[in-house]
Amino acid sequence: MTTNKDELDVTKHVVNDGELNLCNNNLSEEDFHSGIKCPSMPLQSIDLSRNSFKSIPPQIFSYTTLTSLDVSRNRLQGFPPEIKLLVNLEKLIAISNHLRLRQLPINELASLHNLRLLDLRYNRKLKQAALDSLNEVIIPNNSQLEIQCTISSPEEESAAKKLSACD
């Protein structure tokens, strides 16, 4: 559902109480700086998937009651340290972005003691070292956490490059 961003009334995208769905609106962080206002009500879930975000809009971190954040299929390279402000976060879904280990604030993620699912699948820049670091730092602080991450083998990477060259 692509919408004219100038006419986007965010309050119309609140489904159920406390769920904001801004999926597939071709939004970027600039849209939040240029007038899109987030609702003033407490939110438990925000879906920003399938947009054009290069970073998570800072307004999102004011929703400390948030339990679910979906930022899948954007252009994120990492998370800002402010992610630690989402103290009630249980699910962080960031499938198919451009995430890199050096731009993941691992200690801040480790401080999210309510986090139960960290889904980082299909981020081609994340390697085994990223998963090892996440497991080493986060899991000892949060044994309930499930980290989902797809690590491509060198052979799969090579095959993917050959396929993309044919596209």
Side-chain angles (χ1 to χ4, degrees), residues 8-155:
L8 186 63
D9 179 1
V10 175
T11 57
K12 291 181 180 176
H13 293 270
V14 175
V15 293
N16 300 323
D17 285 332
E19 293 182 29
L20 177 61
N21 185 345
L22 292 174
C23 176
N24 201 22
N25 279 288
N26 198 30
L27 296 172
S28 68
E29 49 280 355
E30 289 82 26
D31 296 312
F32 278 81
H33 296 301
S34 65
I36 291 181
K37 302 290 184 215
C38 289
S40 57
M41 67 185 73
L43 294 174
Q44 284 76 46
S45 176
I46 297 179
D47 185 348
L48 297 176
S49 65
R50 298 178 187 265
N51 282 292
S52 298
F53 292 106
K54 292 180 182 173
S55 62
I56 299 172
Q59 296 89 330
I60 300 303
F61 303 110
S62 65
Y63 292 102
T64 58
T65 57
L66 209 59
T67 59
S68 178
L69 177 60
D70 189 344
V71 291
S72 297
R73 294 175 179 86
N74 279 285
R75 299 177 185 161
L76 302 177
Q77 292 186 2
F79 304 129
E82 292 81 8
I83 195 83
K84 69 181 177 193
L85 299 174
L86 301 178
V87 295
N88 292 302
L89 199 61
E90 295 174 6
K91 290 194 310 188
L92 177 54
I93 304 169
I95 298 169
S96 288
N97 279 285
H98 304 282
L99 297 176
R100 300 169 183 265
L101 175 60
R102 67 179 177 270
Q103 293 176 310
L104 292 179
I106 294 177
N107 290 328
E108 286 79 359
L109 289 168
S111 73
L112 298 174
H113 298 291
N114 291 313
L115 195 61
R116 297 295 173 255
L117 175 62
L118 178 59
D119 194 341
L120 304 175
R121 290 177 292 155
Y122 308 111
N123 282 279
R124 296 179 68 200
K125 302 287 184 184
L126 288 179
K127 306 294 181 209
Q128 185 63 45
L131 183 57
D132 293 344
S133 293
L134 290 167
N135 282 323
E136 184 178 305
V137 176
I138 298 176
I139 297 298
N141 293 322
N142 187 347
S143 61
Q144 303 274 324
L145 177 63
E146 176 185 354
I147 300 174
Q148 295 182 358
C149 189
T150 307
I151 305 297
S152 300
S153 70
E155 295 80 23

